[in-house]
Amino acid sequence: MLRHAIHRLLLAVPVMFGVILIGFLLMQVVPTDPATVRAGPTATPDVIAAIRADLGLDEPLYVQFGLYMWRLVQGDLGASIINNVPVSQELGATIGPTLELMAASLVWSIPLGILMGTLAGYWRGSVIDRLIMALSVAGVSVPVFFLGLVLIWFVGFQWQLLPFTGRGGPLWTMDGIRSIILPAVTLGGVFVGPVARMTRTAVLDVLSADHVRTARAKGLTERLVVLRHALRNALVPVVTLIGLQIGFLLGGAVVTETVFSWPGVGRLAVGAILSSDFPMAQGTIIVLSLGFIVVNLTVDMLYAALDPRVRGA
């Protein structure tokens, strides 16, 4: 297991370097001069040139990237062009709400998706199966922003049951719980469908396996057969899908945080890109990409623990 983990970590290094390089190059093609943004619309050319020299923007591109990588190795993500606040400070203030939102969306969507998929697989071809699959397809098809706007209009605006803008406070407070419900339902709503469909497929495969027939022949109850012998083995591909979906959930968090004005990394990234705050945008790209890689590494380890055959792969 340790060798497998080290191998996956080494593979993640070039991936992260590629993300940093692509993010850096994408910021270079944006038709906005960071020095002009910092100087303001009334600055003279001499002031803009001095700011460009101070930011190192007058150096060749490869020199700029080398200096940027050197600062990253030292843990320096730079400072915001807009307000000159360190990028790490802004990220530190926003990563907590993003993690809260993702945790709140996963804590209900994963169990619900697994339950729906298990029921659909066990009662294959029944009304329950068709209803669950219809709901799964609908959940996958509805865009995140559309679901969020619908919940805001009805639950928040028309019925006034829950707040729909901002973060009311930490999750251990009532205001924090109330304010996170709508964003968590929106973000987790797109997660239920894929998990349910994969669980159904996996349960169908396992229910026809020899060890399940043997368990039934021993006289075990259907509940024990499904939970202990079928569902446990069916979770191997489901865990893999969950890992991939959690990674894509980071992209959904960007949209959800923007729709609900949630003060997370996603909303910070959108604001940085719209305001041409390149250091802040690059910092958010790095954090979101690193989160994607960490999630996939964690799922890879869980996959190896559930199925020892992949350790030698």
Side-chain angles (χ1 to χ4, degrees), residues 15-25 65 68-69 72 286:
V15 174
M16 195 65 208
F17 177 80
V19 169
I20 295 173
L21 177 60
I22 293 174
F24 178 83
L25 294 177
F65 182 71
Y68 181 65
M69 287 298 300
L72 284 181
I286 291 174

Side-chain angles (χ1 to χ4, degrees), residues 91-107 167 171 180 184 187 246 249-250 253 257 262-266 287-288 291 294-295:
L91 290 173
T94 56
I95 195 170
T98 296
L99 293 176
E100 287 180 359
L101 177 58
M102 292 188 64
S105 63
L106 292 174
V107 75
R167 177 172 176 258
L171 284 181
I180 204 174
L187 187 58
I246 290 176
L249 205 64
L250 290 169
E257 290 176 359
W262 189 263
V265 178
V287 169
L288 292 174
V294 169
V295 167

Side-chain angles (χ1 to χ4, degrees), residues 36-118:
T36 304
V37 174
R38 171 168 285 189
T42 60
T44 63
D46 293 337
V47 173
I48 295 176
I51 293 177
R52 285 184 60 85
D54 181 62
L55 295 176
L57 299 176
D58 55 346
E59 299 287 347
L61 194 60
Y62 65 89
V63 176
Q64 295 182 43
F65 182 71
L67 294 174
Y68 181 65
M69 287 298 300
W70 176 247
R71 291 195 298 268
L72 284 181
V73 171
Q74 295 177 318
D76 182 13
L77 295 174
S80 170
I81 293 178
I82 304 300
N83 52 22
N84 205 31
V85 175
V87 173
S88 57
Q89 179 178 332
E90 290 283 347
L91 290 173
T94 56
I95 195 170
T98 296
L99 293 176
E100 287 180 359
L101 177 58
M102 292 188 64
S105 63
L106 292 174
V107 75
W108 71 270
S109 59
I110 291 179
L112 179 60
I114 293 176
L115 175 62
M116 290 172 60
T118 304

Side-chain angles (χ1 to χ4, degrees), residues 39-276:
T42 60
T44 63
D46 293 337
V47 173
I48 295 176
I51 293 177
R52 285 184 60 85
D54 181 62
L55 295 176
L57 299 176
D58 55 346
E59 299 287 347
L61 194 60
Y62 65 89
V63 176
Q64 295 182 43
F65 182 71
L67 294 174
Y68 181 65
M69 287 298 300
W70 176 247
R71 291 195 298 268
L72 284 181
V73 171
Q74 295 177 318
D76 182 13
L77 295 174
S80 170
I81 293 178
I82 304 300
N83 52 22
N84 205 31
V85 175
V87 173
S88 57
Q89 179 178 332
E90 290 283 347
L91 290 173
T94 56
I95 195 170
T98 296
L99 293 176
E100 287 180 359
L101 177 58
M102 292 188 64
S105 63
L106 292 174
V107 75
W108 71 270
S109 59
I110 291 179
L112 179 60
I114 293 176
L115 175 62
M116 290 172 60
T118 304
L119 294 176
Y122 186 76
W123 281 295
R124 178 183 181 182
S126 65
V127 176
I128 295 177
D129 181 21
R130 290 193 290 269
L131 177 61
I132 290 176
M133 288 300 98
L135 292 175
S136 300
V137 172
V140 174
S141 304
V142 175
V144 177
F145 71 90
F146 180 77
L147 178 59
L149 292 176
V150 169
L151 290 176
I152 287 175
W153 176 255
F154 287 102
V155 181
F157 186 73
Q158 291 289 337
W159 303 334
Q160 298 183 0
L161 298 177
L162 294 169
F164 54 89
T165 56
R167 177 172 176 258
L171 284 181
W172 55 85
T173 63
M174 184 57 64
D175 290 337
I177 295 175
R178 284 172 49 83
S179 64
I180 204 174
I181 290 177
L182 290 185
V185 170
T186 300
L187 187 58
V190 300
F191 200 84
V192 176
V195 174
R197 296 176 67 182
M198 177 59 73
T199 304
R200 177 185 182 272
T201 302
V203 168
L204 286 175
D205 292 338
V206 175
L207 285 177
S208 60
D210 293 337
H211 69 278
V212 174
R213 288 196 294 266
T214 303
R216 283 172 172 160
K218 291 180 179 180
L220 296 179
T221 62
E222 279 297 303
R223 180 180 178 183
L224 287 178
V225 170
V226 173
L227 295 180
R228 182 179 299 178
H229 297 278
L231 184 58
R232 181 178 179 181
N233 291 277
L235 285 180
V236 174
V238 175
V239 168
T240 303
L241 176 71
I242 289 174
L244 295 174
Q245 289 295 318
I246 290 176
F248 289 113
L249 205 64
L250 290 169
V254 175
V255 179
T256 304
E257 290 176 359
T258 304
V259 171
F260 289 94
S261 299
W262 189 263
V265 178
R267 183 166 176 254
L268 180 65
V270 173
I273 294 173
L274 293 178
S275 61
S276 299

